[in-house]
Amino acid sequence: MTQLSYRIDRQDCLTELSGDWDAFAEANGAPHLVGTAILGRPLWDFLSDPTTVRIYRGLVARIRKQTQVARFRFRCDSPGHRRMLAMEMAPDAAGGVWFRVSIDREQERPPVTLLEGGRPRSGELLTVCGWCERVNLPGDRWVEVEEAVQELRLFEVSPLPRLSHGICHSCCETMMNAIDGIGRPGADVPAVGIISQA
């Protein structure tokens, strides 16, 4: 099973990578994310959506303050696979935070061209939830990528729209509730998002 881990220091800069980081980045079309390109940079350089940044900043702050471990699951698909990842965030004695990620489940699917890197892209923008991988369609509907491709007739479009990551309303609510629950004895744990305390 692929396992990745990375650590941020007190200033939220990436200081350590381990596991299969570089191999995973290369295999998933992201050579710009190998260790030599990202070490020493702030974690926030790699998150563009303001709501996602707020969630991660909230998680990091609560984990440092409460010195507890948080766990949650999220999707990180490739063109030919649906992947559910398990994330564990844990404080260390020096004020840093370790992030440990493993593949919880993986399912093959027919490759989705929309998700392939390196293809020419238009100025049109589609938002994908960075937690559940659903695509935001007109009317603020969030649907699976295959449904979005069919509904928007993207198999007939060239170049394809650009993809941007954000967070859907459901995942946002789940994760904000989870942040509030860290460190609270007996707090309810959201069922899908998914976060739990050690």
Side-chain angles (χ1 to χ4, degrees):
M1 176 190 301
T2 299
Q3 293 193 350
L4 312 170
S5 60
Y6 55 100
R7 178 188 180 272
I8 57 172
D9 62 13
R10 285 181 180 274
Q11 288 75 42
D12 298 340
C13 291
L14 291 157
T15 59
E16 294 182 53
L17 305 170
S18 62
D20 303 318
W21 185 276
D22 284 359
F24 191 77
E26 295 278 0
N28 286 277
H32 59 287
L33 295 178
V34 296
T36 53
I38 67 173
L39 282 172
R41 293 174 59 187
L43 175 64
W44 318 118
D45 282 359
F46 306 97
L47 300 172
S48 58
D49 172 62
T51 305
T52 302
V53 171
R54 191 171 83 236
I55 288 170
Y56 269 102
R57 283 189 184 276
L59 285 166
V60 167
R62 291 299 287 265
I63 288 164
R64 282 179 173 141
K65 182 177 179 181
Q66 301 295 336
T67 61
Q68 288 191 319
V69 174
R71 296 183 182 91
F72 59 91
R73 288 181 174 79
F74 65 101
R75 278 191 42 198
C76 183
D77 292 357
S78 69
H81 293 86
R82 293 183 187 90
R83 283 195 293 248
M84 181 64 76
L85 303 185
M87 168 80 82
E88 177 182 281
M89 296 171 64
D92 68 20
V97 175
W98 273 102
F99 297 72
R100 296 180 180 91
V101 184
S102 59
I103 296 177
D104 191 43
R105 291 191 309 274
E106 189 169 26
Q107 177 186 35
E108 277 193 60
R109 66 173 172 201
V112 179
T113 306
L114 179 64
L115 301 180
E116 291 178 0
R119 287 190 169 265
R121 300 286 171 165
S122 70
E124 186 182 352
L125 190 66
L126 280 180
T127 301
V128 179
C129 178
W131 303 84
C132 68
E133 289 290 312
R134 291 180 295 168
V135 178
N136 191 13
L137 293 187
D140 207 24
R141 293 180 301 119
W142 294 84
V143 302
E144 289 290 330
V145 66
E146 290 89 349
E147 184 178 342
V149 167
Q150 288 292 327
E151 189 164 331
L152 298 174
R153 304 179 69 86
L154 295 179
F155 48 85
E156 300 173 358
V157 172
S158 182
L160 291 165
R162 291 184 298 120
L163 299 179
S164 173
H165 282 85
I167 185 167
C168 70
H169 307 300
S170 175
C171 289
C172 183
E173 182 179 357
T174 297
M175 296 308 296
M176 295 304 285
N177 289 338
I179 293 168
D180 290 341
I182 294 174
R184 231 187 305 149
D188 290 336
V189 174
V192 178
I194 298 171
I195 191 160
S196 63
Q197 299 162 28

